[in-house]
Amino acid sequence: MQAYGNDYVYIDAINQELPNDLNELARFVSNRHFAIGSDGMVLICPSVVADFRMRIFNPDGTEAEMCGNAIRSVGKFVYDHKLTDKTNLTIETLGGIKRLELTIDKNNLVSNIKANIGKPIFDPKLIPVNTNKQEFIMEDIGILDKTFKMSSLSWGNPHTVIFVDNVMNFEVEKYGPAIECNTDVFPKKTNVTFAEIVSKNYIKIREWERGTGETIGCGTGCSTAVVIAHKLGLTENTCTVEQIGGPLEIEYSDELYMKGPSNFVFESEIDVSHIK
């Protein structure tokens, strides 16, 4: 499936048996299905505290806490594949329980998904960021030949945003990996959102995803840009974020909602019998 730029391999883990080594399975399906690797493997599992449980694995096989675009696409998968007839869903993730509102079209398919991904985390100990400050907002950080004002927060996975004058002309491929692996700042790798404030209700971004490279879309990257911009008084609490894969509508007050479509790319079967 594709959620405005992020490509995911979705597996119905309710109705089929899976190998024990899910980390190896994630690496295998990522390399098998996408020439440059998928953005993640998503397992849709039973839950005793929500409608479904989502487990998401990065292309390198590590398990992530959550992903905004992946959560939105879960709603389309379970409804369109008739795993549920509900249009208001709760999804259990390692980052907490998230809520979805599904819009259904005339063909009885999900055409739009609004996801509440909760409250952003500013505590640097939980992001994590190497600082003793309570928040990491607009800090001067030297990267290669430039100094950037960098801000970070977490949605269960760390995200960094840097505001630039013209995001489409920015050298993302140069500075993205240098920031991602800057261990002087981040004990763990971070995603990097480069954002341009166009108006109080409109932002443009490009996203560098850790371990993957530049992606054409990132829901939590869009959300990070809006949260920090709103905190700095640069935008209103409702904002359209334009990314290469298309626009997302963001609403932010205490918690954050993102709204946009997801799409099926293809469905197939692969032999994973070698994975135990």
Side-chain angles (χ1 to χ4, degrees):
M1 294 184 66
Q2 186 178 81
Y4 262 14
N6 290 122
D7 292 315
Y8 302 94
V9 174
Y10 278 78
I11 297 177
D12 173 4
I14 296 175
N15 295 317
Q16 60 184 313
E17 185 176 347
L18 295 173
N20 292 324
D21 192 346
L22 296 177
N23 307 100
E24 177 59 28
L25 177 64
R27 287 189 289 267
F28 179 71
V29 299
S30 176
N31 294 333
R32 180 66 176 258
H33 276 282
F34 294 88
I36 58 171
S38 71
D39 287 305
M41 179 184 77
V42 179
L43 302 181
I44 300 173
C45 309
S47 173
V48 297
V49 295
D51 293 305
F52 297 94
R53 179 186 178 201
M54 183 187 91
R55 295 183 68 183
I56 181 168
F57 292 81
N58 297 313
D60 63 2
T62 56
E63 187 165 4
E65 290 196 14
M66 64 146 272
C67 172
N69 271 349
I71 289 170
R72 288 196 303 107
S73 291
V74 165
K76 181 170 178 63
F77 189 101
V78 297
Y79 188 91
D80 288 358
H81 284 78
K82 304 187 187 309
L83 300 182
T84 184
D85 59 0
K86 297 173 63 175
T87 56
N88 288 276
L89 298 172
T90 52
I91 307 296
E92 178 189 1
T93 74
L94 287 179
I97 294 179
K98 313 302 178 185
R99 299 189 298 276
L100 302 178
E101 299 175 22
L102 310 180
T103 301
I104 311 303
D105 66 16
K106 61 183 180 181
N107 297 314
N108 200 33
L109 298 174
V110 174
S111 61
N112 221 324
I113 307 101
K114 184 176 182 180
N116 178 355
I117 63 170
K119 300 179 181 180
I121 299 169
F122 291 101
D123 185 346
K125 296 183 178 64
L126 300 176
I127 293 175
V129 175
N130 283 329
T131 180
N132 292 323
K133 297 182 178 180
Q134 291 185 334
E135 295 180 352
F136 190 79
I137 307 294
M138 298 296 278
E139 296 295 316
D140 288 333
I141 302 295
I143 302 293
L144 301 179
D145 57 344
K146 289 188 177 182
T147 297
F148 296 99
K149 289 192 177 297
M150 188 183 301
S151 305
S152 289
L153 52 77
S154 176
W155 302 98
N157 49 349
H159 276 265
T160 294
V161 64
I162 294 171
F163 296 107
V164 298
D165 292 333
N166 189 322
V167 74
M168 296 312 297
N169 291 335
F170 189 77
E171 297 177 283
V172 170
E173 67 283 351
K174 176 180 179 179
Y175 294 102
I179 298 168
E180 169 195 355
C181 299
N182 191 328
T183 55
D184 289 340
V185 181
F186 306 102
K188 298 180 180 179
K189 292 182 179 181
T190 184
N191 287 8
V192 189
T193 304
F194 299 98
E196 174 188 348
I197 307 295
V198 180
S199 71
K200 283 280 190 177
N201 299 103
Y202 188 65
I203 294 176
K204 293 181 180 179
I205 76 157
R206 290 172 67 187
E207 180 78 8
W208 183 272
E209 287 204 345
R210 63 190 187 280
T212 301
E214 185 174 3
T215 181
I216 64 174
C218 178
T220 39
C222 292
S223 301
T224 299
V226 171
V227 168
I228 298 298
H230 184 259
K231 193 175 183 66
L232 296 172
L234 301 176
T235 62
E236 306 291 348
N237 60 357
T238 59
C239 195
T240 297
V241 183
E242 183 74 39
Q243 51 193 336
I244 297 171
L248 272 180
E249 298 174 27
I250 306 292
E251 300 176 14
Y252 173 64
S253 51
D254 185 33
E255 297 187 341
L256 188 136
Y257 295 82
M258 62 173 73
K259 183 178 180 180
S262 294
N263 302 287
F264 289 121
V265 179
F266 63 86
E267 296 187 21
S268 65
E269 295 182 358
I270 58 173
D271 181 6
V272 296
S273 59
H274 69 287
I275 301 174
K276 306 301 181 182

